[in-house]
Amino acid sequence: MTTLAPHAPGAPGRWHRLDRRTLLVHCGWMAAPLGSWALTALATGGRITPGAWITLTAVAGSFAVLTVIGLIRWARTDYRVTDDSFEVRSGVLTRRLRSVPLHRIRTVDLTASPLHRLFGVTVLRAGTAGSSGGGAELSLEALTKADAERLRAALLARADTAAAAEDPVVSRINWRWLRYAPLTFWVIGGVFAAAGGLYRVLDGAGIEPWKLGIVRSAFDEFGARALWITIPLALLAVLALGTAGALVLYVEGWWNFRLEWTDAHTLRVHRGLLTTRSVTIERGRLRGAVLREPLLLRAGGGATVGAVAGGLGNKDENRKRSVILPPAPRTEAVRTASGTLRTAFPDIELRAHPKAALRRRRTRGLLLVTLPGTLVLAFLGLLLTPVLLHCAWAFALVSAPVVLWLARDAYRSLGHGLQGRYLVARSGTFSRDTVALQREAIAAWTFSTTPFSRRTGLVTLTAAVAAGEDGYHVRDLAAADAPALAAAAAPGILEEFLDHGGHGRPAPAYGHGHSGGPGRHRKPLSTHALHRNRDDLDMT
């Protein structure tokens, strides 16, 4: 196993070699011809035809030749990290040395196919700002996972994030991101949405879809077979159609995608294949950025980025036009958000919220999902068939752990903090959103509670801004801590509501020492003011 040994400043780094399992990965191409040969042998009862022997001989000869070539390539490929560059030497007959300055590296992507995962290796690709292919990118295949992680950490730690924020080209399409296209709701939801749209078209034309021959034969075939076969096949068909649709939509929507600063005051997003789209955002209207990580996309290590900006239309139009990065690796999303804000995106460790927020999510999930579903199935079972009674207790056993896991994940996603000019808030589980909002853009605060949250001492703090979705939430804060956060994030708005008499327990400080934001220590709202305005306290 190779390791990244430290080297003295100013001295060249030690050269490292790829992992030996690279040779096994290169042999993966043999799976198809060998599988075909094995199927032929099984189909003929072990009697191998001359054509099959010729195929096997060709495969063996190709294996020998390619193994020798792969061994030479492995022996002639190495890499190192110096004080100012990342270098890769390669080539069998013609030696080539490629070097990328460390301050130009913007992305370090780790990719592992099923074959790579089988052998415990991964591919590392390091690219510069705006690189969309081989020209400005170095690729290493294959490294052990540990070596790849160490190399990625070394490259990103020494990359110049300030220079990244100043690049005019913030991001452009990289077609390796296509692997993130299926990790969205539309893989399944898009199929049903398309089916619903087709149904409405046919119904509008006076055609009853249920009477079409192809539909009737499909349902007859479905009912004639065992459900344990037809249901998985139907799900696989939906997944296959959804994946194909997601890939098509990704290509059509993000073809020729380019996010760039056309000048010092204008950010432009250009994309689209059949329908081209170009959205321009003035820097003066840009108030922050949102890092969105839907559940499936987050599981795959991806994210998208949206801009918090004014002048993008109503709420629905803003949701569409504010997206400035398609599903992509999270490292690329953070880099794009930094380039959009022209400063490092505050991807910091956030303050945790009270445990009462976890209990609230558990209770709400059990009461709104597990209990109603169980009661409905049990009631229908009493009325119709005992089979539904078994479905009721099975649903309870399955849904309760899922609900508790989602509640735990939603609680772990909660967080808030201050860093420099930005208020950072994170929440959500089906879509975990991290918003970095300019503190000077906050025009008003709203403190919101419900009867249940009041009993647990929680309050949701909403920052009102004249941009994006108008309001951004810091959910389920401790009621005594919310005024301190609001006063530190946007000083001056809550001054008349602050209790200067020292009532209540001291609120945590949000100053330079912990969160990086300005502001002196604040006292909490007076008990009278807090209770008087608890249900909806709008402070302007």
Side-chain angles (χ1 to χ4, degrees):
M1 179 182 295
T2 58
T3 58
L4 294 177
H7 58 277
R14 184 167 61 88
W15 289 98
H16 305 277
R17 189 160 289 174
L18 302 179
D19 192 82
R20 292 181 176 87
R21 283 168 286 186
T22 303
L23 299 174
L24 297 177
V25 174
H26 287 168
C27 295
W29 64 272
M30 292 193 305
L34 289 180
S36 176
W37 187 83
L39 290 176
T40 301
L42 289 176
T44 59
R47 295 187 300 273
I48 308 301
T49 62
W53 281 114
I54 293 174
T55 300
L56 182 60
T57 303
V59 169
S62 300
F63 170 74
V65 172
L66 292 179
T67 299
V68 172
I69 294 175
L71 181 61
I72 296 174
R73 289 182 59 186
W74 171 80
R76 300 281 286 175
T77 300
D78 45 15
Y79 65 94
R80 69 176 178 177
V81 179
T82 68
D83 286 325
D84 55 6
S85 65
F86 175 42
E87 300 176 351
V88 176
R89 294 188 306 195
S90 61
V92 178
L93 299 178
T94 303
R95 295 290 286 166
R96 182 171 62 165
L97 173 64
R98 299 182 62 194
S99 177
V100 173
L102 290 177
H103 72 273
R104 294 289 298 166
I105 291 177
R106 300 293 180 262
T107 61
V108 181
D109 186 15
L110 302 184
T111 306
S113 67
L115 187 61
H116 288 92
R117 292 197 296 270
L118 176 64
F119 294 114
V121 293
T122 186
V123 179
L124 181 142
R125 294 183 177 90
T128 60
S131 63
S132 60
E137 183 179 73
L138 294 184
S139 177
L140 294 175
E141 182 181 351
L143 301 172
T144 65
K145 293 180 180 179
D147 285 344
E149 290 290 350
R150 281 194 290 268
L151 180 56
R152 177 166 68 173
L155 294 176
L156 293 179
R158 303 172 68 180
D160 189 346
T161 56
E166 295 301 323
D167 279 331
V169 178
V170 180
S171 184
R172 64 172 61 172
I173 192 64
N174 187 325
W175 291 116
R176 283 193 300 275
W177 300 348
L178 269 175
R179 67 183 185 270
Y180 294 102
L183 302 179
T184 63
F185 163 79
W186 291 106
V187 170
I188 297 178
V191 174
F192 292 102
L198 179 62
Y199 177 84
R200 287 194 297 270
V201 171
L202 295 176
D203 186 65
I207 301 174
E208 297 183 14
W210 305 115
K211 294 184 179 181
L212 295 176
I214 187 173
V215 176
R216 296 180 63 178
S217 61
F219 273 91
D220 291 340
E221 185 71 16
F222 187 86
R225 296 182 179 274
L227 292 180
W228 65 272
I229 296 178
T230 54
I231 290 178
L233 288 178
L235 291 176
L236 287 176
V238 170
L239 287 175
L241 290 173
T243 299
L247 293 174
V248 170
L249 290 176
Y250 194 101
V251 171
E252 196 285 326
W254 296 99
W255 182 268
N256 200 29
F257 161 70
R258 185 181 179 93
L259 175 66
E260 62 182 342
W261 287 97
T262 57
D263 55 49
H265 306 288
T266 307
L267 180 69
R268 185 179 66 184
V269 185
H270 180 82
R271 63 188 179 94
L273 178 60
L274 301 178
T275 301
T276 59
R277 306 162 182 86
S278 183
V279 178
T280 301
I281 302 174
E282 296 180 15
R283 189 170 187 177
R285 293 177 176 267
L286 187 63
R287 300 302 187 186
V290 182
L291 186 72
R292 291 195 171 96
E293 302 170 88
L295 188 60
L296 288 178
L297 191 57
R298 175 160 38 113
T304 65
V305 179
V308 179
L312 297 181
N314 58 33
K315 188 173 183 178
D316 291 335
E317 293 175 342
N318 179 80
R319 272 273 175 170
K320 297 176 182 178
R321 300 177 66 193
S322 65
V323 180
I324 57 176
L325 183 74
R330 192 179 189 278
T331 53
E332 172 68 15
V334 172
R335 191 192 67 80
T336 299
S338 300
T340 301
L341 299 178
R342 291 285 180 143
T343 186
F345 184 79
D347 195 22
I348 58 175
E349 183 176 352
L350 303 178
R351 286 179 182 258
H353 287 208
K355 289 291 185 180
L358 172 60
R359 293 192 295 270
R360 186 184 181 208
R361 279 156 176 73
R362 287 173 174 171
T363 303
R364 187 165 51 187
L366 293 174
L367 291 179
L368 297 181
V369 177
T370 302
L371 183 60
T374 303
L375 292 179
V376 168
L377 289 173
F379 179 73
L380 292 177
L382 293 175
L383 292 179
L384 302 177
T385 173
V387 174
L388 293 178
L389 292 176
H390 295 289
C391 292
W393 63 260
F395 175 80
L397 288 179
V398 172
S399 66
V402 173
V403 164
L404 294 177
W405 178 81
L406 290 174
R408 178 67 179 175
D409 182 72
Y411 172 73
R412 294 178 64 183
S413 296
L414 283 177
H416 68 277
L418 303 178
Q419 180 171 336
R421 299 173 56 201
Y422 293 93
L423 165 67
V424 186
R426 187 180 64 202
S427 64
T429 182
F430 293 105
S431 178
R432 186 174 72 182
D433 294 353
T434 305
V435 58
L437 191 65
Q438 288 182 3
R439 294 158 64 177
E440 60 266 26
I442 300 173
W445 292 106
T446 299
F447 292 70
S448 303
T449 64
T450 66
F452 296 104
S453 64
R454 281 198 295 272
R455 292 174 61 88
T456 54
L458 299 175
V459 62
T460 293
L461 180 64
T462 303
V465 294
E469 299 182 10
D470 298 328
Y472 292 88
H473 308 290
V474 184
R475 301 186 183 278
D476 290 344
L477 282 165
D481 296 344
L485 173 61
I493 297 179
L494 299 183
E495 294 296 330
E496 62 179 300
F497 293 94
L498 293 177
D499 178 11
H500 297 286
H503 299 295
R505 68 178 178 86
Y510 289 88
H512 291 283
H514 181 83
S515 56
R520 61 183 185 274
H521 297 328
R522 304 285 179 174
K523 295 182 180 179
L525 291 177
S526 67
T527 304
H528 174 67
L530 186 59
H531 282 277
R532 180 185 61 193
N533 300 282
R534 238 184 224 273
D535 288 324
D536 192 357
L537 181 59
D538 191 6
M539 302 175 184
T540 59

